[in-house]
Amino acid sequence: MSPREKFTKRQRGVFLSAEGRRRLTAAINQAAVLMNQGDRFTAADISQQTGVSKSTISRLWSGKVGVDHKSVQLIFSTFDLELTLDDLQSPQSKGAVGAASTPTPLSGPLPYPTGPVPLDSPLYVVRSPLEERAYHEMTQPGCVIRIKAPSGFGKSSLVLRLLAQAEKLGYGIASIDLLQVEPSTLTNPSAFLRWFCHAIAVKLGRQLNVEDYWSDVLGNALSTTLFIREQILDASAVPFLLHIKEFDRLFDHAATAQTVLPVLRSWYEEARHDAGWQRLRQVVSYATESYLPLDINQSPFNVGLPIPLPEFTPAQVNDLVAWHGLELDAVAQQQLMTLVGGHPQLIRLALYHLRQQALTLTELRQQAAERTGIFHSYLQEMLVRVQDGPEQMAVLKELVMSDRPISLDPILAYQLEATGLIKSTSTGWIMSLELYRDYLRNALFSLYE
């Protein structure tokens, strides 16, 4: 009997593979956003849509009892998926539970792990229930979603998926990257808000003369508000998703931040009672909270849904190891995580190079903090961001040399936290990774050894 005949024969003995489970889960979550305001579908909901019994659906998800091929095919087709052999695991292969939970190694060369994880990549790690909360919140009138994490933790990958969902929902979309703003513009509140309005119009493909809506009498904040309301929100009946990337770049420019942040907060407040502003959905991504003095009633950092992206868990790292086709026992995986924790970018860099067989795990660990190590570019970039005068260097030395948490000036702590270099404890701040401690010791403080 051929493999295809084995799977297409109506029999209770077909299980979802890890790839099939991933694809079906993603499709169901997407349908929940489109049809159910982001609330998860229950087994009863899926049964009603597919015509497949609730008990059959429960068996499919459990992975402990096989399900007939026809039912699985019906479920997939309901959610606009074509069922393939790669989505299934036969009962003869490894046993049901293992088949349903162990990722199938990816074949062929993998792209170098840099930038957002592509939408169709199985290497994207779902951090449930954070993603589901974000998808649901995005459908709520006037919402604010605040995605916070250091560089390399997956903010852009999650935003990419939010934008894709917004596009499927028919939203207007403008994603504004504050890294693209000229430094001279950032220092001037009026120039920045004009740039901001121009950038939104360009992203929407509209030719609007921002100056026509600017008034020195009304001021920068109200001119911006009127432009967004009249030319963006009132120009369309569909919701408008505004994403601001690298939001914390504003914090180094107090005058601009103290003008812009209250404006964004006011839009959220207007949506509590104004149908026009309810069409606005704000998503901001940043590495650290604002360290500027700001009235609590004017700050956008105490409203909306916070989405702090955590490190990968050991189970998530284990799945990535399997996707990469690597065999790391529990001891080896623990050695890797002792070195880089659950830092998403560093984990993926390590697994990429191990898959390429460019070095062994022992060699990777020995060279990790050296100039010849695979993390050197990332560590060097981090070092450039934190070198800022003798006071900061003295604090870095104290962090590196201390095994205990230390107290830090709040502004300096926020700045170092934004790089991911330190993390807070109940009694102070410590280095977040031994890798960082070893690197800084080698790069800066060898004279103190």
Side-chain angles (χ1 to χ4, degrees), residues 4 8 11 19 30 32 61 97 122 139 154 163 206 234 278 280 338 342 349 364 393 395 448:
R4 183 171 298 277
T8 55
Q11 59 173 337
E19 173 64 7
Q30 177 181 313
W61 287 125
V97 176
T139 67
L163 297 180
R206 300 181 59 192
D234 288 353
Q278 288 172 4
L280 176 64
T338 299
L349 275 171
L364 185 153
M393 297 308 294
V395 170
Y448 300 105

Side-chain angles (χ1 to χ4, degrees), residues 13 52 127 150 171 182 184 212 216 284 308 333 365 398:
V52 176
R127 284 178 272 204
Y171 289 7
E182 295 291 337
S184 59
D212 289 345
D216 292 334
V284 294
Q333 184 171 313
R365 293 170 58 215
E398 186 178 0

Side-chain angles (χ1 to χ4, degrees), residues 28-273:
I28 290 174
N29 288 342
Q30 177 181 313
V33 170
L34 296 172
M35 302 166 57
N36 205 36
Q37 293 190 320
D39 290 335
R40 286 186 175 187
F41 285 135
T42 64
D45 294 330
I46 298 173
S47 174
Q48 184 176 10
Q49 293 184 54
T50 61
V52 176
S53 71
K54 189 167 69 172
S55 61
T56 298
I57 292 167
S58 297
R59 288 199 304 272
L60 180 67
W61 287 125
S62 73
K64 296 179 180 179
V65 181
V67 176
D68 63 284
H69 178 275
K70 184 176 180 180
S71 294
V72 179
Q73 189 171 46
L74 185 56
I75 294 170
F76 268 64
S77 63
T78 299
F79 294 99
D80 295 324
L81 293 175
E82 180 181 354
L83 183 65
T84 71
L85 291 179
D86 290 337
D87 296 316
L88 300 175
Q89 180 74 43
S90 73
Q92 291 81 16
S93 300
K94 296 184 180 180
V97 176
S101 60
T102 303
T104 303
L106 298 174
S107 60
L110 298 183
Y112 189 76
T114 184
V117 181
L119 288 173
D120 59 350
S121 173
L123 295 177
Y124 177 73
V125 174
V126 176
R127 284 178 272 204
S128 185
L130 293 179
E131 279 92 343
E132 290 90 340
R133 290 174 184 167
Y135 293 144
H136 175 265
E137 190 68 16
M138 186 178 65
T139 67
Q140 303 307 299
C143 70
V144 172
I145 301 174
R146 299 181 282 114
I147 303 173
K148 176 189 173 185
S151 175
F153 267 60
K155 297 189 297 295
S156 295
S157 296
L158 174 56
V159 167
L160 188 65
R161 283 151 180 82
L162 285 173
L163 297 180
Q165 293 289 2
E167 185 176 4
K168 290 173 182 175
L169 289 168
Y171 289 7
I173 299 171
S175 182
I176 309 300
D177 187 350
L178 297 193
L179 288 178
Q180 297 174 342
V181 190
E182 295 291 337
S184 59
T185 300
L186 271 171
T187 62
N188 184 317
S190 177
F192 174 79
L193 286 172
R194 282 175 160 90
W195 175 90
F196 183 70
C197 292
H198 276 291
I200 290 174
V202 169
K203 291 288 184 177
L204 292 173
R206 300 181 59 192
Q207 294 183 347
L208 298 172
N209 186 353
V210 173
E211 297 303 321
D212 289 345
Y213 307 94
W214 221 262
S215 168
D216 292 334
V217 174
L218 294 178
N220 299 310
L222 187 53
S223 293
T224 302
T225 297
L226 291 174
F227 175 84
I228 296 297
R229 174 59 192 264
E230 295 178 6
Q231 297 303 315
I232 305 300
L233 298 178
D234 288 353
S236 174
V238 301
F240 168 61
L241 182 107
L242 172 63
H243 167 234
I244 307 176
K245 181 180 179 181
E246 301 291 342
F247 192 61
D248 37 5
R249 194 174 181 209
L250 285 175
F251 304 160
D252 292 330
H253 307 278
T256 302
Q258 290 171 343
T259 299
V260 173
L261 298 183
V263 170
L264 300 180
R265 168 65 180 260
S266 73
W267 297 348
Y268 173 84
E269 298 292 349
E270 289 288 333
R272 302 307 93 190
H273 60 82

